[in-house]
Amino acid sequence: MEVGGNNKSYPGGKLSNFTSFKFIFDDVECNSMEGLLQSFKFENIESQKQTCQLVGFSAKKKGSGRNSYWQQKQTLWWNGKAYLRKSKDYQYLLNR
């Protein structure tokens, strides 16, 4: 099954990180899984909240500007806490 954005047919399109899907994660309103994942690249909590509001390529584009920064540090952030990229704590965050 191909998993793609909003323009893909069911069920693959609905499984994409890029699909618009409203949910709450740790009391933060999110409009897509991509927005949440991209928000982990920002240390600043307000930037994270703003990124969580984005959907699809808009979210990916905003996060892409932070790729070099987090990749060099191998650290991502959520709600004021730093997570080493390969740590069990970060995997737990993703699992939630």
Side-chain angles (χ1 to χ4, degrees):
M1 164 179 17
E2 182 179 341
V3 176
N6 289 331
N7 61 345
K8 301 293 180 183
S9 62
Y10 181 82
K14 294 296 181 190
L15 297 174
S16 170
N17 291 344
F18 284 68
T19 300
S20 177
F21 177 75
K22 293 180 184 267
F23 62 96
I24 305 290
F25 187 78
D26 291 345
D27 297 323
V28 176
E29 292 183 26
C30 301
N31 286 326
S32 72
M33 193 63 189
E34 188 67 21
L36 176 63
L37 293 173
Q38 293 297 328
S39 78
F40 295 158
K41 297 177 181 179
F42 295 89
E43 291 174 80
N44 180 282
I45 293 172
E46 285 307 311
S47 293
Q48 289 179 336
K49 289 179 181 178
Q50 291 171 2
T51 306
C52 284
Q53 294 295 303
L54 301 175
V55 175
F57 287 105
S58 296
K60 185 170 184 166
K61 183 177 179 183
K62 182 168 182 182
S64 69
R66 297 282 295 183
N67 284 344
S68 294
Y69 185 73
W70 82 261
Q71 288 170 353
Q72 282 180 336
K73 294 186 171 288
Q74 286 295 294
T75 302
L76 295 124
W77 300 266
W78 179 245
N79 204 22
K81 182 177 177 183
Y83 292 86
L84 292 177
R85 167 64 181 87
K86 295 184 179 180
S87 70
K88 289 181 182 181
D89 284 342
Y90 181 65
Q91 186 59 56
Y92 177 72
L93 178 68
L94 293 175
N95 291 349
R96 292 187 328 153

